[in-house]
Amino acid sequence: MEESNELRYMSLSETKKWMRAVIEESKEILRMNDRHLMLMSAYFGSQGSNSSAKSEMESIRELLGIKEYYFIIALNKSREWLEELIVFYPHLKSIKDQLDNKIKFIKEVRNMREHEIEYYKGKGWKQQDFLYKSDNSITDATSTVINDGAYLVGGRISVQEALSLFESFYPLITQKLNDFYMEPPNSI
């Protein structure tokens, strides 16, 4: 495979992989959050304490934080590989444009979560953007807000919106990769 075909393959394969990661992490976050909400309702609705439910709720909260981190990484990697992909498939720029228009702050939230200690110390590169104000809340980039059913990572990235977008993008990228496999050698 010549170099440009290798890069084209790599951009397709990696874009597809990271898009799938966004889908899988989104689904898992939403599933775990539903379980957490159910446990909270049962815990606070009962007369007396339920240490088993409390322990499971704490475990889910920890795991959600981990999953959110993977989700943000997958979003950022998807976006980065998509940029490489449109070098070979300029018509796919519309996918990146949709992503950038509907899910803003991917890179910023990723960087703030990656460098959270610096931000907590007030020394982040974009410290002025660490706190985010929406219509009814103020949150920092490492927090999660659930607002009108929307699970917002960093208070600004909707897991549901990401899932919806990436479920629509993934088949297109999968088809492009399948088409690539069907091309005769050196057809670029």
Side-chain angles (χ1 to χ4, degrees):
M1 199 184 302
E2 64 183 57
E3 184 178 333
S4 61
N5 266 349
E6 288 174 9
L7 293 173
R8 190 164 61 109
Y9 167 77
M10 189 77 172
S11 65
L12 280 166
S13 178
E14 291 298 305
T15 300
K16 181 179 179 281
K17 173 178 76 178
W18 288 108
M19 283 187 170
R20 181 171 181 192
V22 170
I23 293 167
E24 297 301 322
E25 294 303 326
S26 296
K27 287 178 179 178
E28 186 65 8
I29 287 169
L30 296 174
R31 185 196 65 74
M32 290 173 72
N33 185 59
D34 286 346
R35 175 74 178 149
H36 187 261
L37 292 174
M38 186 195 75
L39 286 167
M40 280 180 55
S41 179
Y43 180 79
F44 291 111
S46 68
Q47 302 290 336
S49 71
N50 181 339
S51 62
S52 173
K54 184 175 185 253
S55 177
E56 187 176 352
M57 285 187 305
E58 289 171 358
S59 176
I60 289 172
R61 284 301 324 143
E62 285 179 355
L63 291 172
L64 277 168
I66 294 165
K67 290 294 184 181
E68 289 171 12
Y69 184 77
Y70 294 152
F71 167 77
I72 291 296
I73 298 245
L75 268 176
N76 194 59
K77 294 294 280 183
S78 291
R79 191 180 177 285
E80 289 175 345
W81 277 107
L82 198 49
E83 286 179 6
E84 297 303 316
L85 185 63
I86 59 181
V87 169
F88 300 101
Y89 299 96
H91 65 282
L92 294 179
K93 185 177 182 306
S94 63
I95 290 176
K96 184 180 169 295
D97 292 344
Q98 285 180 62
L99 178 60
D100 289 344
N101 288 331
K102 294 193 177 196
I103 306 179
K104 298 173 181 7
F105 311 112
I106 292 171
K107 187 174 181 179
E108 291 83 355
V109 171
R110 179 260 174 223
N111 289 342
M112 289 175 194
R113 282 186 168 228
E114 183 67 24
H115 303 284
E116 66 188 352
I117 295 171
E118 291 95 329
Y119 280 92
Y120 281 123
K121 289 181 175 180
K123 298 178 181 180
W125 282 7
K126 290 191 171 188
Q127 192 69 41
Q128 71 280 2
D129 297 329
F130 187 56
L131 293 178
Y132 180 77
K133 184 177 183 201
S134 67
D135 292 337
N136 53 10
S137 67
I138 296 175
T139 185
D140 67 65
T142 65
S143 298
T144 299
V145 173
I146 300 171
N147 189 3
D148 293 330
Y151 192 104
L152 304 171
V153 175
R156 52 201 111 175
I157 296 178
S158 169
V159 172
Q160 289 94 333
E161 182 76 33
L163 178 58
S164 176
L165 274 175
F166 279 79
E167 283 183 330
S168 71
F169 297 160
Y170 187 75
L172 299 170
I173 302 305
T174 299
Q175 186 59 53
K176 282 288 178 206
L177 185 57
N178 289 340
D179 293 347
F180 175 86
Y181 290 134
M182 301 304 293
E183 292 176 4
N186 301 318
S187 66
I188 191 166

